Amino acid sequence: MGLASSIVNMDSTHYIKDLTTDNITRNVIAINSQCPEPRFRLLLERLVTYLHDFARETQLTTSEWEATIKFLTEVGDACTEFRSEFVLLSDVLGLSLLMDSINHPRPSSNNELGGSLVPTEGTVLGPFHTHDAAHLAHGGLISHDEDGEPLLVVGTVRDTEGRPIAGAQIDVWENNSHGLYDVQYPDRDAPDGRGILKSDEQGNFFFRAVVPVPYSIPNDGPVGRLLDQLKRHPMRPSHFHFMIFKPGYDRLVTALYRRGDPYERSDAVFGVKESLVVDIGPVGDVEGFSAKYGVSPETKLMRYDFVLMSEKQMRELQEQKAKEAKRT
Amino acid sequence: MGLASSIVNMDSTHYIKDLTTDNITRNVIAINSQCPEPRFRLLLERLVTYLHDFARETQLTTSEWEATIKFLTEVGDACTEFRSEFVLLSDVLGLSLLMDSINHPRPSSNNELGGSLVPTEGTVLGPFHTHDAAHLAHGGLISHDEDGEPLLVVGTVRDTEGRPIAGAQIDVWENNSHGLYDVQYPDRDAPDGRGILKSDEQGNFFFRAVVPVPYSIPNDGPVGRLLDQLKRHPMRPSHFHFMIFKPGYDRLVTALYRRGDPYERSDAVFGVKESLVVDIGPVGDVEGFSAKYGVSPETKLMRYDFVLMSEKQMRELQEQKAKEAKRT
């Protein structure tokens, strides 16, 4: 880090006195440099630098600082076992989408990977994934929502060479026709609108669900008030979550978005990508599907072919992107 | 801001799709630019920029992001009516001292103000000021601590021309001989170790107290664990708080530190300034003081001449410093 050496009169216990707007940052970094973990030391160094630069550059006032402390305290108050207001804050500030982009980059062109298929893009995980979903046989129904519009989901899982990935775990979750995830039900006693499948030998899977609807992110807390102040709406377009994993492959956290949704272009948490937008039409439009999957022709159909990157491909791509980030 | 114009296909409802590491920041800023309050819009623009730059530059990992969300949630949990863990976090990151420096700058040389006296430096307010202290007559005792070492405090309040400021309100608070502020007493039913005086016609004041001692900031929560991880101690050197106010003058928030304290050079919250470090010796060392103030010669004495800047002086200095900050 090299900053400690610029401190005047620094001895073994540090010399922290007469700190001003101009010298406080390097001195806080110097005292934090006692930390023996290099990565944590680096994170704190950059955090302190950005935090202080923000205050200096904006000439942040005492009352603005007080308002920020009050806001963070309210965000803390709004957190419960089933609601993380801090995740919501990260979501609406675009940080969650950025985290996915940084940690699960995609090649700018597919030549970089040398495969024939473009890997499926990731998107925000959101706060509604749980670990108690039931395992389903193919064709199983994940929803108990009697008001929901029936949906057949048909998919495949492949690698970038187009080879089927058998035995991938496919974790799916969605909201119901009232715009609620099961953890938002007042009387939740078992999972609903979620399930776990495994791809078959050909990498295929299918199950039954309901058509997801647009909904508001939890909007009655401090993050909702922030959106109000910014004149932003709290809506997310209809989407269906997928988390797909098999050892040796990079875990894919993604979602499919319904084309034509009123919020397709203004998702409150910035998750929509064109490659993840799908048409949802009647099963009857695809020859033979109604009989093959045993559902009525009026049932809606959502199809998608997922493509996973291997862990090795992802590691190499991350290293390359990190190098590019350093150059810019 | 000018950034909105760089968004492709932006219409009246914005176009927020296909966001990546490279384009998310300007798009989040664009959607936030709907905010009608220019100052809040600017703060959000800079916040989003610094937050995203931090994540990109450090290539923040998903597990580090999760650990940060967990830490903030724990900081929220540790907040109570009498303890703000977020203020403590701001303190140990040097932000609180920086806020005082930015908002209450001092001239680099006294020529800038044209006065004959150097204005007293400010320092961190800390979390222990309350609004229920009793008003005291001169000579009154603010402490009920029977184990404390008796202390006589004698001071003056003047402007930068050396003219006495009469009727200034002097709000004082300190810890007891066990290192606790009254709000930390398990059975607090009335204020202790704090009081409010007014300066007399000559700008003088005096009162009786106890000698403050070094103490640990609240260390049993997430901020304490952060200090542990950074190998930093949680101690503050002995000090005595003063908040001095009279209409027309900039409110002075400061503290006096005892010279020779073991933590004088390593204050956990970065508050010590050489101009605020005072010797505390026996009253008997100053001729006539024992009789004049009616205390025993063994009583300890702390003296200080406070100098306030006028509101006008402070406003002019803030404007000048803000200009300098923009130039650098």
Side-chain angles (χ1 to χ4, degrees):
Chain A
M1 331 274 286
L3 280 147
S5 59
S6 70
I7 309 301
V8 183
N9 280 334
M10 190 163 155
D11 59 25
S12 62
T13 57
H14 301 272
Y15 187 94
I16 304 292
K17 203 194 268 192
D18 286 323
L19 298 179
T20 66
T21 306
D22 299 324
N23 71 9
I24 186 160
T25 306
R26 63 175 183 270
N27 280 284
V28 174
I29 289 170
I31 201 165
N32 286 346
S33 71
Q34 300 171 99
C35 175
E37 303 159 53
R39 173 68 180 170
F40 195 64
R41 204 163 61 212
L42 173 72
L43 290 177
L44 262 285
E45 187 211 298
R46 303 316 300 155
L47 173 70
V48 166
T49 301
Y50 280 121
L51 184 68
H52 289 196
D53 280 353
F54 171 75
R56 268 189 295 258
E57 185 190 324
T58 60
Q59 295 277 305
L60 196 69
T61 68
T62 303
S63 63
E64 287 164 350
W65 174 85
E66 286 168 353
T68 308
I69 295 286
K70 182 163 175 283
F71 176 77
L72 290 172
T73 306
E74 288 167 355
V75 172
D77 275 350
C79 291
T80 68
E81 189 190 348
F82 289 116
R83 171 172 176 168
S84 173
E85 196 81 359
F86 282 109
V87 169
L88 214 54
L89 182 59
S90 168
D91 290 350
V92 304
L93 294 178
L95 181 62
S96 305
L97 190 280
L98 178 58
M99 289 308 302
D100 178 68
S101 295
I102 289 171
N103 286 282
H104 304 277
R106 291 298 180 276
S108 12
S109 88
N110 209 46
N111 296 340
E112 287 184 56
L113 296 179
S116 56
L117 295 184
V118 177
T120 302
E121 291 191 278
T123 188
V124 289
L125 171 67
F128 297 124
H129 180 253
T130 70
H131 293 278
D132 62 354
H135 288 259
L136 281 186
H138 287 194
L141 175 66
I142 67 163
S143 175
H144 302 98
D145 177 15
E146 292 177 3
D147 300 328
E149 194 181 357
L151 177 73
L152 171 69
V153 181
V154 175
T156 65
V157 186
R158 296 196 146 68
D159 68 13
T160 58
E161 299 294 340
R163 292 174 295 219
I165 298 177
Q169 175 167 306
I170 302 147
D171 208 333
V172 301
W173 64 107
E174 63 161 341
N175 67 10
N176 70 8
S177 59
H178 305 287
L180 296 176
Y181 287 86
D182 60 357
V183 294
Q184 300 175 299
Y185 298 175
D187 54 352
R188 180 192 203 261
D189 53 7
D192 186 30
R194 59 183 79 239
I196 299 174
L197 296 101
K198 279 213 187 292
S199 57
D200 69 15
E201 287 304 309
Q202 286 73 48
N204 297 329
F205 67 91
F206 71 102
F207 62 95
R208 288 171 302 130
V210 296
V211 176
V213 301
Y215 70 102
S216 169
I217 61 170
N219 196 33
D220 55 347
V223 171
R225 290 198 299 278
L226 174 66
L227 290 181
D228 267 0
Q229 207 175 346
L230 294 169
K231 305 292 176 201
R232 284 171 52 180
H233 70 70
M235 300 301 291
R236 296 212 65 201
S238 330
H239 61 275
F240 208 111
H241 289 276
F242 292 82
M243 185 191 291
I244 306 184
F245 181 64
K246 171 151 180 177
Y249 296 88
D250 188 58
R251 182 189 304 268
L252 175 65
V253 175
T254 195
L256 299 178
Y257 296 86
R258 182 175 195 174
R259 191 179 310 284
D261 186 282
Y263 304 103
E264 184 184 334
R265 293 176 172 212
S266 65
D267 183 0
V269 309
F270 309 102
V272 185
K273 296 178 180 184
E274 184 56 36
S275 70
L276 302 174
V277 177
V278 294
D279 289 300
I280 296 182
V283 167
D285 287 359
V286 183
E287 175 121 10
F289 262 38
S290 175
K292 177 174 179 184
Y293 293 106
V295 298
S296 74
E298 301 78 38
T299 301
K300 291 290 193 293
L301 172 66
M302 184 171 78
R303 293 172 77 178
Y304 205 81
D305 295 319
F306 296 93
V307 178
L308 304 193
M309 288 169 69
S310 70
E311 281 183 342
K312 180 163 173 290
Q313 285 174 319
M314 180 53 72
R315 210 163 37 237
E316 288 170 2
L317 193 59
Q318 279 173 341
E319 284 163 12
Q320 182 195 320
K321 296 274 174 188
K323 268 186 219 152
E324 285 171 18
K326 270 184 195 136
R327 275 203 298 276
T328 56
Chain B
M1 331 274 284
L3 280 149
S5 59
S6 71
I7 309 300
V8 183
N9 280 333
M10 191 163 155
D11 59 25
S12 62
T13 56
H14 302 273
Y15 186 93
I16 303 291
K17 202 194 267 191
D18 286 323
L19 298 179
T20 65
T21 307
D22 299 324
N23 70 11
I24 187 160
T25 306
R26 63 176 183 269
N27 280 285
V28 173
I29 290 171
I31 200 164
N32 286 346
S33 71
Q34 300 171 97
C35 175
E37 304 159 53
R39 174 68 181 170
F40 196 65
R41 205 163 60 212
L42 173 72
L43 290 178
L44 261 285
E45 187 211 297
R46 302 317 299 155
L47 173 71
V48 166
T49 302
Y50 280 121
L51 185 68
H52 289 196
D53 280 352
F54 171 75
R56 268 189 295 258
E57 185 190 323
T58 60
Q59 295 279 304
L60 196 68
T61 69
T62 304
S63 62
E64 287 164 350
W65 173 84
E66 285 167 355
T68 307
I69 295 286
K70 182 164 174 283
F71 176 77
L72 290 172
T73 307
E74 288 166 355
V75 171
D77 275 349
C79 291
T80 67
E81 189 190 348
F82 288 114
R83 170 172 176 168
S84 173
E85 196 81 358
F86 282 110
V87 169
L88 214 53
L89 182 59
S90 168
D91 290 350
V92 304
L93 294 178
L95 181 62
S96 305
L97 190 279
L98 179 59
M99 290 308 302
D100 177 68
S101 295
I102 290 171
N103 287 281
H104 303 278
R106 291 299 180 275
S108 11
S109 88
N110 209 44
N111 296 339
E112 288 184 54
L113 297 179
S116 56
L117 295 184
V118 177
T120 302
E121 291 191 278
T123 187
V124 288
L125 171 66
F128 296 123
H129 180 253
T130 70
H131 294 277
D132 62 355
H135 288 259
L136 281 185
H138 287 195
L141 175 67
I142 67 162
S143 175
H144 303 96
D145 177 14
E146 292 177 4
D147 300 328
E149 194 181 357
L151 178 74
L152 171 70
V153 181
V154 175
T156 65
V157 186
R158 297 195 145 69
D159 68 13
T160 59
E161 300 293 340
R163 293 172 296 218
I165 299 177
Q169 174 166 307
I170 302 148
D171 210 331
V172 299
W173 65 107
E174 64 162 341
N175 68 9
N176 70 8
S177 59
H178 305 286
L180 296 176
Y181 287 86
D182 59 357
V183 294
Q184 298 175 301
Y185 298 176
D187 55 351
R188 181 192 203 262
D189 52 7
D192 186 30
R194 57 183 80 239
I196 300 174
L197 297 101
K198 279 211 188 293
S199 57
D200 68 15
E201 286 306 307
Q202 286 73 47
N204 297 329
F205 68 90
F206 70 103
F207 62 96
R208 289 173 300 131
V210 295
V211 175
V213 301
Y215 70 101
S216 170
I217 61 171
N219 197 32
D220 55 345
V223 171
R225 289 199 298 279
L226 174 65
L227 290 181
D228 267 358
Q229 206 175 345
L230 293 170
K231 305 293 176 201
R232 284 170 52 181
H233 70 68
M235 300 300 292
R236 295 212 65 202
S238 330
H239 60 274
F240 207 112
H241 289 277
F242 292 83
M243 186 190 292
I244 307 185
F245 180 65
K246 172 154 179 174
Y249 295 88
D250 188 57
R251 182 190 303 268
L252 175 65
V253 174
T254 194
L256 300 178
Y257 295 86
R258 182 176 194 173
R259 190 178 311 284
D261 187 282
Y263 304 103
E264 184 185 335
R265 294 177 171 210
S266 65
D267 183 0
V269 309
F270 308 103
V272 184
K273 296 177 181 187
E274 184 55 36
S275 70
L276 302 174
V277 177
V278 294
D279 289 299
I280 296 183
V283 167
D285 287 359
V286 183
E287 175 123 11
F289 261 38
S290 175
K292 177 174 180 185
Y293 293 106
V295 297
S296 74
E298 300 77 38
T299 300
K300 290 292 192 296
L301 172 67
M302 184 170 79
R303 294 172 77 178
Y304 206 81
D305 296 318
F306 295 92
V307 178
L308 303 192
M309 288 170 69
S310 70
E311 281 183 342
K312 182 164 173 290
Q313 285 174 319
M314 179 54 72
R315 209 162 39 237
E316 288 169 2
L317 193 59
Q318 280 172 342
E319 284 164 12
Q320 182 195 321
K321 297 274 173 187
K323 267 185 218 153
E324 285 171 17
K326 269 183 195 137
R327 274 204 299 276
T328 56

